[in-house]
Amino acid sequence: MVNWLSIVYLLISIPFGLVATWVLDSVGLRCAVILSAWLNMMGSIIRMFSVLKFLSLGTQSYWYLFIGQCLCALAQPLIIFSPTKLAALWFPDHQRATANMIASMSNPLGILIANVLSPALVPEEKHIPLMLGVYAVPAVTACALATVGIHEKVPPTPPSASATNSTSKPFLTGLKMLLRNKPYIILAVCFGGGIGMFTCFSALLEQILCEKGYSNKFAGLNGALFTVCGLLGAFLLGLYVDRTRKFIESTKICFCLSALASIMFAVTSRFRHQDVMLAVTSSLFGFFGFAIYPTAMELAVECSYPVGEGTSTGLIFVASQIEGVILMILLQALTVRISEDPASTCALDQGGTLDWTTPVLVLAGLCSAMSCFYVIFFHTDYKRLRAETNNGDFVKAEDTATADVPEA
C-alpha cells in the first residue's frame, strides 16, 4: 500500500505526460504552471485531511490519501516539462541553459529538503499529520504566487529571434516529426534510460547497501551527496554551455564519466567497510549524471526545432518513466535471496537479506552501453540556434536596406 503511493507517480506521468505536452505547447506556459500549482495544492490538502482523526474517515482514509497523491502526480508533468519552455520564451539564447538548469534542479532540491526534513518532523507515527500539514504550506503558497503573480504567458518583448518568430508545429504534427527524427529518438532512448537509472539508484540505494552492513543513515548520506553534487554539476555545466554552446560534447563527456562512476559504485558496493569510496562514487555519479539533465533538455529542443519545447522535452520524460518502471522491475527480479548474514543491516520488513550483486552490475553495464551508443551514434545540428542566426542576419539586412533608401 505504501509502495503504491510512489508507483502512482510513474504510472500517471506516462499517459498524462502527453496531455501535459499538449497543454504547454497549445494552451501556454501560464496555464500549465497555474494548473499544476492548483492540482498540487488540492492534492496536498486532501492528503493532510486523510490523516486527521477528528474527521473519522476510518478505512477510507487510505483512499483519500491515494486520491491526494494522484492529484499531486497529475501536477508533476506540467511543471517538470516547463523549464525548456520557460527558458525559450523568457530568456535570451546566452542565458537559456542556465535558466533551464535552475528551474530543472529545483525539483531534486525540493526532494532533498523533504528527505532531510521528514525524519525530523516525524520522530513517531503520531506526527505524520504534522508533516503533511507542513508540506501543504509551500503548496498553498506556490498556488497563490502562481495564480496572482503570473499575468502573461509570454514577455512583452521577445528575448530572442526564435521567441520573436515562433514557428512551433501543432501538437500532433510535432509528435510525428519527433518519431521520424533519428537523433531525437537516440537522445530520448539514451537520456530517458539515464533518468530511469538515476530513479532506480535513488529508490534502491538503501536496500543495496544494507546487505553489506551499511546503515540506513549512511545510505541516506550517500543519497544526499548524490543530489547535492548533482545540483553543483548541473549549475557548472549550465554556465559552461551558455558560454560555449557545446551541448553535444558536454553531454557525451558527462555521460561517459557517469558510466565510469556507476562501474566504480557497482564494484565498491560489493565490499564492506568502504564508506569513503562509496561516498566518493555516489558524489561523482550524481555530479556527472545530474549535470546532463538540463543540458540534454536544451539539446532535445535544438535537435527537434521547430517542434514545441513542451512536446520535445515531455516525450523524453515519458520515455524515462517507461524505462524506469521496466528497470525497477528487472533489477528487483535479478536479486537472489541469501542465508541470513549477521553483518547485514537489512530489516525483515524489507524482505530480509537479498544479494544485489547481479542488479548493480547490470545497472552499470546498461549505463556503459547507453553512453557508448550515445557517443557513437548521436549527431545533430543546432537547428534552433541556426534559425536564430539566420533570422538575425535577415533583420540586419532589412535594417541596412532601409537605411540606404534616400529620403524623398
Side-chain angles (χ1 to χ4, degrees):
M1 293 172 72
V2 173
N3 287 342
W4 268 105
L5 298 176
S6 298
I7 294 171
V8 71
Y9 270 82
L10 293 172
L11 295 179
I12 285 181
S13 63
I14 294 171
F16 191 70
L18 297 176
V19 178
T21 60
W22 174 82
V23 171
L24 267 171
D25 284 336
S26 301
V27 183
L29 180 64
R30 177 176 180 269
C31 178
V33 173
I34 292 176
L35 178 59
S36 175
W38 275 92
L39 285 170
N40 201 47
M41 182 191 72
M42 290 189 295
S44 299
I45 291 175
I46 292 173
R47 287 190 308 184
M48 181 179 65
F49 285 164
S50 71
V51 293
L52 294 179
K53 291 183 179 180
F54 69 85
L55 293 178
S56 301
L57 296 175
T59 56
Q60 293 182 344
S61 62
Y62 176 78
W63 295 111
Y64 278 88
L65 179 65
F66 191 76
I67 290 170
Q69 197 79 342
C70 287
L71 289 174
C72 293
L74 287 171
Q76 184 190 40
L78 288 165
I79 203 68
I80 284 186
F81 298 177
S82 297
T84 49
K85 194 77 172 179
L86 172 71
L89 294 178
W90 287 84
F91 292 88
D93 55 355
H94 64 279
Q95 295 177 357
R96 280 198 296 245
T98 303
N100 194 350
M101 175 274 301
I102 294 172
S104 298
M105 290 299 103
S106 62
N107 184 53
L109 178 61
I111 293 172
L112 174 65
I113 293 172
N115 285 338
V116 172
L117 194 58
S118 296
L121 291 173
V122 191
E124 298 178 16
E125 182 182 343
K126 64 181 181 182
H127 295 111
I128 287 179
L130 171 64
M131 179 190 72
L132 294 177
V134 168
Y135 289 161
V137 172
V140 172
T141 304
C143 184
L145 289 173
T147 305
V148 177
I150 304 176
H151 302 290
E152 303 290 341
K153 60 181 181 181
V154 293
T157 304
S160 65
S162 61
T164 304
N165 304 295
S166 179
T167 57
S168 293
K169 300 295 182 181
F171 177 67
L172 290 177
T173 304
L175 276 180
K176 292 177 183 177
M177 290 176 66
L178 291 178
L179 295 176
R180 292 195 295 263
N181 187 329
K182 182 181 175 182
Y184 179 83
I185 295 298
I186 293 173
L187 182 66
V189 171
C190 295
F191 180 54
I195 297 177
M197 290 175 201
F198 297 142
T199 302
C200 292
F201 179 84
S202 301
L204 302 174
L205 182 60
E206 183 179 314
Q207 298 173 53
I208 292 170
L209 294 180
C210 73
E211 176 213 342
K212 296 301 179 182
Y214 298 101
S215 66
N216 290 347
K217 185 177 180 181
F218 178 73
L221 173 63
N222 275 265
L225 288 172
F226 176 74
T227 304
V228 170
C229 292
L231 294 172
L232 177 61
F235 174 74
L236 295 175
L237 189 63
L239 294 177
Y240 174 76
V241 169
D242 264 338
R243 294 185 178 184
T244 62
R245 311 290 175 83
K246 293 183 178 180
F247 295 93
I248 297 175
E249 297 87 344
S250 300
T251 51
K252 286 185 176 182
I253 291 172
C254 284
F255 211 153
C256 290
L257 292 174
S258 64
L260 289 174
S262 71
I263 295 171
M264 290 171 60
F265 177 83
V267 174
T268 308
S269 65
R270 299 302 85 203
F271 296 93
R272 305 185 193 281
H273 313 299
Q274 299 294 323
D275 300 51
V276 174
M277 277 301 297
L278 280 172
V280 170
T281 53
S282 296
S283 301
L284 291 174
F285 194 32
F287 184 85
F288 294 114
F290 261 110
I292 306 172
Y293 183 89
T295 305
M297 287 301 190
E298 283 293 304
L299 185 55
V301 177
E302 291 292 342
C303 77
S304 63
Y305 185 84
V307 177
E309 295 86 1
T311 304
S312 59
T313 57
L315 205 59
I316 289 182
F317 186 79
V318 171
S320 75
Q321 300 303 288
I322 296 172
E323 292 179 72
V325 170
I326 295 171
L327 273 174
M328 190 77 77
I329 295 171
L330 174 65
L331 295 178
Q332 292 183 83
L334 290 174
T335 58
V336 179
R337 190 171 299 280
I338 58 177
S339 57
E340 196 65 35
D341 187 346
S344 171
T345 58
C346 298
L348 290 178
D349 60 359
Q350 292 175 326
T353 303
L354 295 172
D355 182 6
W356 284 85
T357 302
T358 301
V360 293
L361 290 175
V362 168
L363 189 66
L366 287 172
C367 190
S368 302
M370 284 194 174
S371 65
C372 291
F373 185 82
Y374 179 72
V375 168
I376 295 170
F377 294 105
F378 182 79
H379 305 282
T380 187
D381 294 327
Y382 299 150
K383 297 178 181 178
R384 181 174 60 176
L385 288 174
R386 185 175 62 188
E388 288 177 340
T389 302
N390 293 338
N391 286 334
D393 293 341
F394 179 73
V395 170
K396 288 180 182 178
E398 280 192 333
D399 292 342
T400 303
T402 303
D404 290 342
V405 174
E407 295 184 2

